[in-house]
């Protein structure tokens, strides 16, 4: 098996594991709400701690990746995630669940950045949009598994047992990456000093052009993953009035459509570049269609739910194109920090989205975890307005000037 194929397969499995952890509270949430008497804001905070742990580790993770390489860093950090899963599955209190969720997020913090860095080291730049999309598609399978398959599994076993099983799977993937991925070359044997790497990260954070490039993708991606990993199912049941089984099927459909979008948009991006529309413009247009889809969902347009949520998954996945865009805009020695800094921004937005939407929903009284439609619609309207503001910044004249 070639080095490029091993990198693709093993790091994709790592991202799949991280995606499973991201969305398991879609299925666990209703059970935890009943067992621990959680409010909407409690559930939002608990779920979002994954993203907080992920975010807090992004800056050091970028330095780790650029110093020791994606293979070693990803494999070791996955063991931290496995430990967090054990804590989560053995806890019977909200505090214990929060600690476990925080550790899980910290442990999987490098899965995507490590994959992108390893792929950039083993594949030509021209193929990155498609290959990155394939990685995201495999990870997106986690979004499928937390729908109907997870709902089915919870009918036969407990969420605690499923958590233990995920811990075992995480350790297996860690071993595959450590022993199966190619060893790093000499570039990592004489790493730059910590101070010099911190200066590089700070320079990136002070780059106004960087913020313009990630404004809309990060905001739209933050909302997309925040909704997909928690709030989509309550919206479907409370606003659209669908039953639990139908909602689980739509969650899986959303996961499949995201997978299709990751691959399809990555392939289309290269063709669009040949026709004169670069990644910046193509990604922006797709994300505008994503905003339109959200507006149709909030307005409850007379369109079948299956069509709306397929569009939500396909166009929402366009946020991934920003990583290929940034790979062509910044030098290779910064790619680990570029990816991790972008993850930091996006995952802080996810954290704020999940907590904020739960807080808005709690403005209205709920009963047994069920809230009036106006609560969810208001929360969605707020995050949609924020994305519109980001879109104005992204498309403002003169926003993109290639180096």
């Amino acid at each position: 098996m070639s080095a490029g194929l091993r990198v693709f397969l093993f790091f994709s499995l790592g991202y799949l594991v991280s995606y499973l952890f991201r969305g398991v509270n879609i299925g666990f949430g209703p059970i935890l709400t009943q067992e621990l008497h959680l409010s909407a804001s409690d559930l939002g905070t608990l779920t979002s701690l994954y993203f907080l742990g992920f975010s807090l580790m992004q800056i050091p993770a970028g330095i780790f990746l650029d110093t020791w390489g994606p293979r070693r860093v990803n494999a070791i950090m996955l063991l931290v995630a496995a430990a967090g899963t054990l804590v989560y599955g053995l806890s019977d209190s909200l505090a214990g669940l929060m600690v476990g969720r925080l550790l899980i997020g910290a442990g999987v913090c490098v899965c995507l950045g490590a994959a992108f860095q390893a792929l950039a080291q083993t594949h030509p730049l021209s193929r990155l949009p498609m290959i990155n999309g394939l990685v995201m598609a495999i990870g997106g399978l986690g979004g499928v598994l937390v729908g109907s398959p997870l709902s089915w599994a919870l009918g036969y076993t407990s969420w605690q047992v499923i958590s233990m099983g995920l811990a075992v799977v995480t350790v297996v993937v860690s071993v595959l990456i450590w022993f199966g991925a190619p060893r790093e070359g000499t570039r990592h044997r004489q790493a730059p000093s910590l101070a010099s790497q911190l200066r590089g990260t700070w320079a990136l954070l002070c780059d106004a052009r960087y913020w313009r490039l990630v404004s809309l993708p990060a905001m739209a991606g933050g909302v997309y993953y925040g909704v997909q990993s928690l709030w989509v199912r309550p919206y479907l049941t409370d606003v659209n009035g669908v039953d639990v089984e139908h909602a689980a099927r739509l969650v899986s459909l959303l996961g499949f459509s995201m997978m299709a979008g990751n691959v399809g948009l990555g392939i289309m991006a290269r063709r669009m570049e040949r026709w004169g529309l670069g990644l910046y413009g193509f990604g922006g247009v797709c994300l505008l269609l994503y905003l339109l889809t959200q507006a149709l969902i909030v307005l409850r347009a007379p369109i079948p739910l299956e069509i709306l949520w397929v569009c939500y998954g396909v166009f929402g996945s366009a946020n991934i194109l920003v990583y290929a865009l940034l790979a062509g805009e910044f030098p290779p020695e910064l790619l680990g920090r570029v990816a991790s800094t972008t993850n930091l921004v996006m995952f802080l937005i996810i954290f704020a989205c999940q907590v904020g939407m739960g807080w808005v929903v709690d403005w209205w009284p709920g009963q047994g975890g069920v809230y009036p439609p106006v609560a969810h619609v208001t929360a969605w309207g707020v995050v949609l307005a924020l994305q519109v503001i980001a879109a104005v910044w992204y498309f403002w004249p003169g926003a993109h000037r290639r180096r």
Side-chain angles (χ1 to χ4, degrees):
M1 187 184 298
S2 68
L5 183 57
R6 280 182 284 144
V7 165
F8 171 75
L9 290 177
F10 297 147
F11 283 94
S12 294
L13 286 176
Y15 185 55
L16 171 61
V17 167
S18 75
Y19 217 107
L20 280 170
F21 285 129
R22 185 184 303 180
V24 289
N25 271 9
I26 292 179
F28 292 174
I31 301 172
L32 294 173
T33 297
Q34 294 294 328
E35 291 184 359
L36 302 178
H37 308 290
L38 304 181
S39 65
S41 58
D42 289 335
L43 183 59
T45 301
L46 171 62
T47 305
S48 67
L49 284 174
Y50 166 99
F51 302 103
L52 180 61
F54 193 109
S55 301
L56 292 176
M57 285 296 296
Q58 282 309 293
I59 298 302
I63 295 173
F64 296 160
L65 288 172
D66 286 337
T67 302
W68 293 293
R71 179 186 67 90
R72 285 176 283 189
V73 175
N74 200 3
I76 292 172
M77 294 301 293
L78 279 173
L79 297 180
V80 176
T85 311
L86 292 175
V87 173
Y88 191 89
L90 295 174
S91 297
D92 56 4
S93 67
L94 179 59
L97 292 171
M98 286 181 167
V99 171
R101 189 77 176 161
L102 193 66
L103 285 174
I104 292 170
V108 299
C109 71
V110 299
C111 288
L112 186 59
F116 286 164
Q117 185 187 31
L119 289 169
Q121 292 170 354
T122 54
H123 293 81
L125 180 63
S126 61
R127 297 179 62 191
L128 286 184
M130 182 185 69
I131 297 174
N132 287 353
L134 289 171
V135 172
M136 293 294 291
I138 293 175
L141 182 61
V144 176
L145 296 175
V146 297
S148 294
L150 179 59
S151 179
W152 173 84
L154 286 169
Y156 291 91
T157 188
S158 67
W159 63 270
Q160 292 95 334
V161 171
I162 293 175
S163 295
M164 298 299 104
L166 286 174
V168 174
V169 170
T170 304
V171 172
V172 170
V173 174
S174 173
V175 172
L176 285 174
I177 291 175
W178 182 270
F179 292 103
R183 294 184 177 274
E184 289 81 1
T186 57
R187 186 174 71 87
H188 295 284
R189 293 174 186 170
Q190 293 182 341
S193 67
L194 176 62
S196 67
Q197 295 205 53
L198 286 174
R199 285 194 297 271
T201 300
W202 179 250
L204 183 64
L205 291 172
C206 295
D207 189 339
R209 184 168 169 277
Y210 167 79
W211 289 107
R212 283 288 186 92
L213 291 172
V214 302
S215 56
L216 178 57
M219 181 63 72
V223 172
Y224 175 83
Y225 296 120
V227 167
Q228 188 206 21
S229 57
L230 180 61
W231 293 117
V232 55
R233 180 168 168 172
Y235 189 93
L236 289 168
T237 55
D238 296 355
V239 178
N240 297 121
V242 303
D243 57 40
V244 174
E245 290 76 15
H246 189 188
R249 289 195 299 271
L250 288 172
V251 170
S252 291
L253 179 64
L254 171 58
F256 277 121
S257 63
M258 189 197 74
M259 294 170 63
N262 289 146
V263 177
L265 296 183
I267 295 173
M268 288 181 62
R270 304 315 306 179
R271 294 183 178 178
M272 291 296 174
E273 283 194 314
R274 299 190 192 103
W275 296 342
L277 182 62
L279 282 173
Y280 185 85
F282 177 68
V285 170
C286 291
L287 290 174
L288 286 180
L289 293 173
Y290 170 61
L291 267 61
L292 175 61
T293 301
Q294 291 177 72
L296 293 173
I297 291 173
V298 170
L299 295 173
R300 285 184 258 187
I303 300 173
L305 291 176
E306 287 75 11
I307 294 177
L308 285 175
W309 288 101
V310 165
C311 291
Y312 187 95
V314 170
F315 295 125
S317 67
N319 68 83
I320 190 60
L321 295 175
V322 73
Y323 292 96
L325 173 64
L326 294 172
E329 301 287 338
F330 292 91
E333 63 270 16
L334 279 177
L335 289 184
R337 278 162 285 178
V338 167
S340 62
T341 302
T342 305
N343 286 337
L344 169 65
V345 174
M346 190 175 298
F347 275 70
L348 283 175
I349 294 173
I350 299 171
F351 171 78
C353 172
Q354 291 193 335
V355 173
M357 292 183 75
W359 181 68
V360 172
V361 169
D362 263 343
W363 284 356
W364 285 264
Q367 185 174 5
V370 178
Y371 292 84
V374 65
H376 293 283
V377 170
T378 301
W380 276 58
V382 171
V383 297
L384 179 57
L386 293 174
Q387 291 170 87
V388 171
I389 294 172
V392 172
W393 187 13
Y394 185 84
F395 285 106
W396 196 260
H400 182 53
R401 293 284 186 272
R402 186 171 182 83
R403 291 182 188 274

Short mmCIF file of all heavy atoms in Angstrom, two decimals, residues 196-238:
data_model
loop_
_atom_site.label_atom_id
_atom_site.label_comp_id
_atom_site.label_asym_id
_atom_site.label_seq_id
_atom_site.Cartn_x
_atom_site.Cartn_y
_atom_site.Cartn_z
N SER A 196 9.71 30.89 18.22
CA SER A 196 9.55 31.23 16.81
C SER A 196 8.22 30.74 16.26
O SER A 196 7.58 31.42 15.45
CB SER A 196 10.70 30.65 16.00
OG SER A 196 10.64 29.23 15.98
N GLN A 197 7.76 29.59 16.73
CA GLN A 197 6.47 29.08 16.26
C GLN A 197 5.32 29.91 16.82
O GLN A 197 4.32 30.16 16.13
CB GLN A 197 6.33 27.62 16.67
CG GLN A 197 7.35 26.73 15.98
CD GLN A 197 6.89 25.31 15.87
OE1 GLN A 197 5.80 25.02 15.38
NE2 GLN A 197 7.72 24.40 16.33
N LEU A 198 5.44 30.35 18.07
CA LEU A 198 4.41 31.21 18.63
C LEU A 198 4.34 32.54 17.88
O LEU A 198 3.25 33.08 17.67
CB LEU A 198 4.67 31.45 20.12
CG LEU A 198 4.36 30.28 21.05
CD1 LEU A 198 4.81 30.59 22.47
CD2 LEU A 198 2.88 29.94 21.03
N ARG A 199 5.50 33.05 17.48
CA ARG A 199 5.50 34.28 16.69
C ARG A 199 4.80 34.07 15.36
O ARG A 199 4.07 34.96 14.88
CB ARG A 199 6.93 34.77 16.47
CG ARG A 199 7.57 35.40 17.71
CD ARG A 199 8.84 36.17 17.34
NE ARG A 199 9.87 35.29 16.79
CZ ARG A 199 10.78 34.67 17.53
NH1 ARG A 199 10.79 34.84 18.86
NH2 ARG A 199 11.69 33.90 16.98
N GLY A 200 5.01 32.90 14.75
CA GLY A 200 4.33 32.61 13.50
C GLY A 200 2.82 32.53 13.66
O GLY A 200 2.05 33.03 12.84
N THR A 201 2.38 31.92 14.76
CA THR A 201 0.94 31.84 15.03
C THR A 201 0.36 33.22 15.29
O THR A 201 -0.73 33.56 14.78
CB THR A 201 0.69 30.93 16.25
OG1 THR A 201 1.19 29.63 15.98
CG2 THR A 201 -0.80 30.85 16.56
N TRP A 202 1.09 34.03 16.05
CA TRP A 202 0.60 35.38 16.35
C TRP A 202 0.51 36.22 15.08
O TRP A 202 -0.44 37.00 14.89
CB TRP A 202 1.50 36.04 17.38
CG TRP A 202 1.08 37.44 17.73
CD1 TRP A 202 1.70 38.60 17.41
CD2 TRP A 202 -0.10 37.81 18.46
NE1 TRP A 202 1.00 39.69 17.89
CE2 TRP A 202 -0.11 39.23 18.53
CE3 TRP A 202 -1.14 37.09 19.05
CZ2 TRP A 202 -1.12 39.93 19.19
CZ3 TRP A 202 -2.15 37.79 19.69
CH2 TRP A 202 -2.14 39.18 19.77
N ALA A 203 1.50 36.07 14.21
CA ALA A 203 1.47 36.81 12.94
C ALA A 203 0.24 36.43 12.12
O ALA A 203 -0.38 37.28 11.48
CB ALA A 203 2.74 36.53 12.15
N LEU A 204 -0.13 35.16 12.15
CA LEU A 204 -1.32 34.72 11.43
C LEU A 204 -2.58 35.35 12.03
O LEU A 204 -3.46 35.82 11.31
CB LEU A 204 -1.42 33.20 11.47
CG LEU A 204 -2.58 32.56 10.71
CD1 LEU A 204 -2.45 32.81 9.22
CD2 LEU A 204 -2.64 31.06 10.99
N LEU A 205 -2.66 35.37 13.36
CA LEU A 205 -3.83 35.94 14.02
C LEU A 205 -3.95 37.44 13.78
O LEU A 205 -5.05 38.01 13.88
CB LEU A 205 -3.76 35.67 15.53
CG LEU A 205 -3.95 34.21 15.97
CD1 LEU A 205 -3.66 34.06 17.45
CD2 LEU A 205 -5.37 33.75 15.65
N CYS A 206 -2.83 38.10 13.48
CA CYS A 206 -2.84 39.54 13.22
C CYS A 206 -3.02 39.87 11.74
O CYS A 206 -3.01 41.06 11.37
CB CYS A 206 -1.55 40.17 13.74
SG CYS A 206 -1.33 40.09 15.53
N ASP A 207 -3.16 38.86 10.92
CA ASP A 207 -3.27 39.06 9.48
C ASP A 207 -4.74 39.33 9.11
O ASP A 207 -5.58 38.43 9.13
CB ASP A 207 -2.77 37.81 8.76
CG ASP A 207 -2.64 38.01 7.25
OD1 ASP A 207 -3.29 38.93 6.72
OD2 ASP A 207 -1.90 37.24 6.61
N ALA A 208 -5.04 40.58 8.78
CA ALA A 208 -6.43 40.96 8.46
C ALA A 208 -6.95 40.20 7.25
O ALA A 208 -8.14 39.85 7.17
CB ALA A 208 -6.52 42.46 8.23
N ARG A 209 -6.06 39.92 6.33
CA ARG A 209 -6.50 39.20 5.13
C ARG A 209 -6.92 37.78 5.46
O ARG A 209 -7.86 37.23 4.87
CB ARG A 209 -5.36 39.19 4.12
CG ARG A 209 -5.72 38.56 2.79
CD ARG A 209 -4.61 38.87 1.77
NE ARG A 209 -4.83 38.05 0.60
CZ ARG A 209 -4.42 36.79 0.50
NH1 ARG A 209 -3.82 36.22 1.52
NH2 ARG A 209 -4.64 36.11 -0.60
N TYR A 210 -6.23 37.16 6.40
CA TYR A 210 -6.63 35.82 6.85
C TYR A 210 -8.06 35.84 7.37
O TYR A 210 -8.87 34.96 7.04
CB TYR A 210 -5.67 35.32 7.92
CG TYR A 210 -6.18 34.10 8.66
CD1 TYR A 210 -6.08 32.84 8.10
CD2 TYR A 210 -6.79 34.22 9.92
CE1 TYR A 210 -6.57 31.72 8.76
CE2 TYR A 210 -7.26 33.10 10.59
CZ TYR A 210 -7.16 31.86 10.01
OH TYR A 210 -7.65 30.76 10.66
N TRP A 211 -8.39 36.84 8.17
CA TRP A 211 -9.73 36.91 8.75
C TRP A 211 -10.80 37.11 7.68
O TRP A 211 -11.91 36.60 7.79
CB TRP A 211 -9.79 38.02 9.79
CG TRP A 211 -9.02 37.69 11.02
CD1 TRP A 211 -7.83 38.22 11.42
CD2 TRP A 211 -9.35 36.70 12.01
NE1 TRP A 211 -7.40 37.64 12.59
CE2 TRP A 211 -8.32 36.71 12.98
CE3 TRP A 211 -10.41 35.83 12.18
CZ2 TRP A 211 -8.33 35.87 14.09
CZ3 TRP A 211 -10.43 34.99 13.27
CH2 TRP A 211 -9.40 35.01 14.21
N ARG A 212 -10.45 37.89 6.63
CA ARG A 212 -11.41 38.04 5.54
C ARG A 212 -11.66 36.71 4.85
O ARG A 212 -12.79 36.35 4.52
CB ARG A 212 -10.87 39.05 4.52
CG ARG A 212 -11.02 40.51 4.96
CD ARG A 212 -12.47 40.96 4.89
NE ARG A 212 -12.60 42.38 5.17
CZ ARG A 212 -12.58 43.33 4.26
NH1 ARG A 212 -12.41 43.01 2.98
NH2 ARG A 212 -12.72 44.59 4.60
N LEU A 213 -10.59 35.94 4.63
CA LEU A 213 -10.72 34.67 3.92
C LEU A 213 -11.58 33.66 4.69
O LEU A 213 -12.29 32.86 4.09
CB LEU A 213 -9.34 34.08 3.65
CG LEU A 213 -8.45 34.81 2.64
CD1 LEU A 213 -7.05 34.20 2.64
CD2 LEU A 213 -9.05 34.76 1.25
N VAL A 214 -11.50 33.69 6.02
CA VAL A 214 -12.21 32.67 6.81
C VAL A 214 -13.53 33.17 7.38
O VAL A 214 -14.25 32.39 8.02
CB VAL A 214 -11.32 32.15 7.98
CG1 VAL A 214 -10.02 31.58 7.44
CG2 VAL A 214 -11.07 33.24 9.01
N SER A 215 -13.88 34.42 7.16
CA SER A 215 -15.05 35.01 7.82
C SER A 215 -16.33 34.21 7.56
O SER A 215 -16.94 33.68 8.49
CB SER A 215 -15.24 36.47 7.37
OG SER A 215 -15.33 36.54 5.95
N LEU A 216 -16.75 34.12 6.32
CA LEU A 216 -17.99 33.40 6.00
C LEU A 216 -17.84 31.89 6.18
O LEU A 216 -18.72 31.26 6.77
CB LEU A 216 -18.44 33.73 4.58
CG LEU A 216 -19.71 33.01 4.08
CD1 LEU A 216 -20.89 33.29 5.01
CD2 LEU A 216 -20.04 33.40 2.65
N PRO A 217 -16.76 31.25 5.68
CA PRO A 217 -16.63 29.80 5.91
C PRO A 217 -16.64 29.42 7.38
O PRO A 217 -17.27 28.42 7.76
CB PRO A 217 -15.29 29.47 5.25
CG PRO A 217 -15.09 30.51 4.23
CD PRO A 217 -15.66 31.76 4.82
N ALA A 218 -15.96 30.18 8.22
CA ALA A 218 -15.91 29.84 9.64
C ALA A 218 -17.25 30.04 10.31
O ALA A 218 -17.70 29.21 11.11
CB ALA A 218 -14.83 30.66 10.35
N MET A 219 -17.93 31.14 10.00
CA MET A 219 -19.23 31.40 10.62
C MET A 219 -20.26 30.38 10.15
O MET A 219 -21.00 29.80 10.96
CB MET A 219 -19.69 32.82 10.28
CG MET A 219 -21.03 33.19 10.90
SD MET A 219 -21.01 33.18 12.71
CE MET A 219 -20.03 34.67 13.01
N ALA A 220 -20.31 30.15 8.85
CA ALA A 220 -21.28 29.18 8.32
C ALA A 220 -20.95 27.77 8.79
O ALA A 220 -21.84 27.01 9.15
CB ALA A 220 -21.30 29.24 6.79
N GLY A 221 -19.66 27.42 8.80
CA GLY A 221 -19.27 26.10 9.28
C GLY A 221 -19.56 25.92 10.75
O GLY A 221 -20.00 24.84 11.18
N GLY A 222 -19.35 26.97 11.54
CA GLY A 222 -19.65 26.88 12.97
C GLY A 222 -21.12 26.61 13.22
O GLY A 222 -21.49 25.78 14.06
N VAL A 223 -21.98 27.33 12.49
CA VAL A 223 -23.42 27.11 12.64
C VAL A 223 -23.81 25.74 12.12
O VAL A 223 -24.60 25.02 12.75
CB VAL A 223 -24.20 28.22 11.90
CG1 VAL A 223 -25.69 27.90 11.87
CG2 VAL A 223 -23.95 29.57 12.56
N TYR A 224 -23.23 25.35 10.99
CA TYR A 224 -23.57 24.06 10.39
C TYR A 224 -23.29 22.91 11.36
O TYR A 224 -24.17 22.08 11.63
CB TYR A 224 -22.77 23.87 9.10
CG TYR A 224 -22.96 22.51 8.47
CD1 TYR A 224 -24.05 22.28 7.65
CD2 TYR A 224 -22.07 21.48 8.70
CE1 TYR A 224 -24.25 21.02 7.06
CE2 TYR A 224 -22.25 20.24 8.12
CZ TYR A 224 -23.33 20.03 7.30
OH TYR A 224 -23.52 18.80 6.74
N TYR A 225 -22.08 22.85 11.89
CA TYR A 225 -21.72 21.74 12.77
C TYR A 225 -22.42 21.85 14.13
O TYR A 225 -22.73 20.84 14.75
CB TYR A 225 -20.21 21.68 12.94
CG TYR A 225 -19.48 21.40 11.66
CD1 TYR A 225 -18.55 22.30 11.14
CD2 TYR A 225 -19.73 20.24 10.94
CE1 TYR A 225 -17.90 22.05 9.95
CE2 TYR A 225 -19.09 19.98 9.75
CZ TYR A 225 -18.17 20.88 9.25
OH TYR A 225 -17.54 20.63 8.07
N GLY A 226 -22.65 23.08 14.57
CA GLY A 226 -23.38 23.25 15.83
C GLY A 226 -24.80 22.71 15.75
O GLY A 226 -25.30 22.07 16.68
N VAL A 227 -25.44 22.96 14.62
CA VAL A 227 -26.81 22.46 14.42
C VAL A 227 -26.80 20.96 14.16
O VAL A 227 -27.58 20.20 14.75
CB VAL A 227 -27.48 23.22 13.25
CG1 VAL A 227 -28.77 22.52 12.83
CG2 VAL A 227 -27.76 24.66 13.65
N GLN A 228 -25.90 20.51 13.27
CA GLN A 228 -25.89 19.10 12.89
C GLN A 228 -25.61 18.19 14.08
O GLN A 228 -26.18 17.09 14.17
CB GLN A 228 -24.84 18.85 11.81
CG GLN A 228 -24.91 17.44 11.24
CD GLN A 228 -23.59 16.97 10.68
OE1 GLN A 228 -22.54 17.49 11.04
NE2 GLN A 228 -23.63 15.99 9.80
N SER A 229 -24.75 18.63 14.99
CA SER A 229 -24.35 17.76 16.10
C SER A 229 -25.26 17.85 17.31
O SER A 229 -25.04 17.14 18.28
CB SER A 229 -22.90 18.07 16.51
OG SER A 229 -22.77 19.43 16.87
N LEU A 230 -26.30 18.69 17.26
CA LEU A 230 -27.22 18.76 18.41
C LEU A 230 -28.63 19.22 18.05
O LEU A 230 -29.59 18.51 18.31
CB LEU A 230 -26.64 19.69 19.49
CG LEU A 230 -27.50 19.84 20.75
CD1 LEU A 230 -27.69 18.49 21.44
CD2 LEU A 230 -26.88 20.86 21.71
N TRP A 231 -28.75 20.41 17.46
CA TRP A 231 -30.06 21.07 17.40
C TRP A 231 -30.94 20.65 16.24
O TRP A 231 -32.11 21.04 16.18
CB TRP A 231 -29.88 22.58 17.39
CG TRP A 231 -29.32 23.10 18.68
CD1 TRP A 231 -28.13 23.73 18.87
CD2 TRP A 231 -29.91 23.00 19.98
NE1 TRP A 231 -27.94 24.04 20.19
CE2 TRP A 231 -29.03 23.60 20.90
CE3 TRP A 231 -31.11 22.46 20.45
CZ2 TRP A 231 -29.30 23.67 22.26
CZ3 TRP A 231 -31.38 22.52 21.82
CH2 TRP A 231 -30.48 23.13 22.70
N VAL A 232 -30.42 19.88 15.29
CA VAL A 232 -31.25 19.50 14.15
C VAL A 232 -32.41 18.61 14.59
O VAL A 232 -33.56 18.79 14.14
CB VAL A 232 -30.40 18.81 13.06
CG1 VAL A 232 -29.63 17.62 13.59
CG2 VAL A 232 -31.27 18.38 11.90
N ARG A 233 -32.15 17.64 15.45
CA ARG A 233 -33.22 16.72 15.85
C ARG A 233 -34.31 17.42 16.66
O ARG A 233 -35.50 17.23 16.37
CB ARG A 233 -32.63 15.55 16.62
CG ARG A 233 -33.65 14.53 17.07
CD ARG A 233 -32.99 13.26 17.55
NE ARG A 233 -33.91 12.39 18.24
CZ ARG A 233 -33.62 11.16 18.64
NH1 ARG A 233 -32.43 10.66 18.40
NH2 ARG A 233 -34.51 10.41 19.27
N PRO A 234 -33.98 18.24 17.67
CA PRO A 234 -35.05 18.98 18.37
C PRO A 234 -35.84 19.88 17.44
O PRO A 234 -37.06 20.04 17.61
CB PRO A 234 -34.29 19.79 19.43
CG PRO A 234 -33.03 19.03 19.66
CD PRO A 234 -32.67 18.44 18.33
N TYR A 235 -35.18 20.48 16.46
CA TYR A 235 -35.91 21.34 15.52
C TYR A 235 -36.92 20.52 14.73
O TYR A 235 -38.08 20.94 14.54
CB TYR A 235 -34.92 22.02 14.57
CG TYR A 235 -35.57 23.08 13.69
CD1 TYR A 235 -35.57 24.40 14.10
CD2 TYR A 235 -36.19 22.75 12.49
CE1 TYR A 235 -36.17 25.38 13.30
CE2 TYR A 235 -36.78 23.71 11.70
CZ TYR A 235 -36.77 25.03 12.11
OH TYR A 235 -37.38 25.99 11.33
N LEU A 236 -36.50 19.36 14.26
CA LEU A 236 -37.40 18.53 13.46
C LEU A 236 -38.60 18.05 14.26
O LEU A 236 -39.73 18.02 13.75
CB LEU A 236 -36.63 17.33 12.90
CG LEU A 236 -35.62 17.64 11.79
CD1 LEU A 236 -34.71 16.44 11.54
CD2 LEU A 236 -36.35 18.04 10.52
N THR A 237 -38.37 17.67 15.52
CA THR A 237 -39.48 17.14 16.32
C THR A 237 -40.38 18.25 16.87
O THR A 237 -41.60 18.11 16.87
CB THR A 237 -38.93 16.30 17.49
OG1 THR A 237 -38.01 17.09 18.25
CG2 THR A 237 -38.24 15.06 16.96
N ASP A 238 -39.78 19.36 17.30
CA ASP A 238 -40.57 20.42 17.95
C ASP A 238 -41.21 21.37 16.94
O ASP A 238 -42.31 21.88 17.17
CB ASP A 238 -39.69 21.23 18.91
CG ASP A 238 -39.19 20.40 20.07
OD1 ASP A 238 -39.58 19.22 20.18
OD2 ASP A 238 -38.38 20.92 20.87
#
